[in-house]
Amino acid sequence: VDFSVIWSNIQWFEVIVLQLIVTFFTVSLGILIGTVSKTAEKANGLGLFVYFLLSFLSGIFFPLKQIQNSATLDKLSRLMPVRPITQGLTEAFDGVYKFTDTTLLTLETKLGLASKTLELGPNYLWLLYPLILGVLFLVLSYFKFSWE
């Protein structure tokens, strides 16, 4: 097994953009968790639970190919906002990620609703999912926060 990295194949611009998106998402999620938790201990426990849930179901700890054997886990995995970033980073480090590739999405595999095929367009549209959730988490934190 060869574990060497070919540095010339890494798409650094894509890696930096994806890292900024995941940083924004996780920081806004952490702010929301800190806002809704009554104590630091509860925030820590809830944060760890959410972290491990996102990590396991997004393919950070093990390849997503292993999840695809279970229909239920695969559907849950597809709803995780970190999954497109995990896939994008894997492809960017392999030198094959493109923001402009078109992606076909079947609603059945994404949401379990119908078996229609929907053209979502470029890969960067998938990146709007964690960005929109990050903004939503910040807005919720703003309205929920109070000095006590």
Side-chain angles (χ1 to χ4, degrees):
V1 177
D2 183 19
F3 291 106
S4 62
V5 176
I6 303 171
W7 295 100
S8 62
N9 287 349
I10 298 175
Q11 298 168 303
W12 290 106
F13 176 74
E14 287 81 357
V15 168
I16 291 169
V17 169
L18 292 168
Q19 286 293 337
L20 288 173
I21 292 171
V22 77
T23 300
F24 172 73
F25 170 76
T26 54
V27 167
S28 61
L29 178 62
I31 290 171
L32 179 64
I33 288 171
T35 301
V36 299
S37 299
K38 300 286 184 194
T39 65
E41 291 81 14
K42 289 180 182 177
N44 187 24
L46 182 59
L48 284 172
F49 173 75
V50 170
Y51 166 75
F52 281 110
L53 181 71
L54 285 173
S55 297
F56 276 112
L57 291 176
S58 296
I60 292 174
F61 289 144
F62 52 87
L64 289 171
K65 292 175 186 172
Q66 294 178 353
I67 290 180
Q68 294 171 351
N69 294 335
S70 169
T72 305
L73 283 179
D74 188 45
K75 285 181 183 179
L76 282 175
S77 173
R78 292 180 186 277
L79 294 174
M80 295 294 119
V82 183
R83 181 177 170 150
I85 296 184
T86 303
Q87 288 177 321
L89 284 172
T90 302
E91 292 173 5
F93 278 107
D94 288 339
V96 296
Y97 185 76
K98 301 283 186 234
F99 282 122
T100 57
D101 285 348
T102 57
T103 304
L104 288 176
L105 166 75
T106 58
L107 291 177
E108 183 178 11
T109 57
K110 181 68 177 171
L111 302 174
L113 299 176
S115 60
K116 296 180 181 176
T117 300
L118 175 68
E119 177 76 35
L120 280 187
N123 271 346
Y124 64 83
L125 289 178
W126 283 109
L127 302 178
L128 291 178
Y129 180 43
L131 284 174
I132 290 170
L133 281 178
V135 170
L136 178 67
F137 292 159
L138 287 177
V139 169
L140 288 172
S141 299
Y142 175 78
F143 288 111
K144 181 71 177 156
F145 180 78
S146 65
W147 292 99
E148 291 182 6

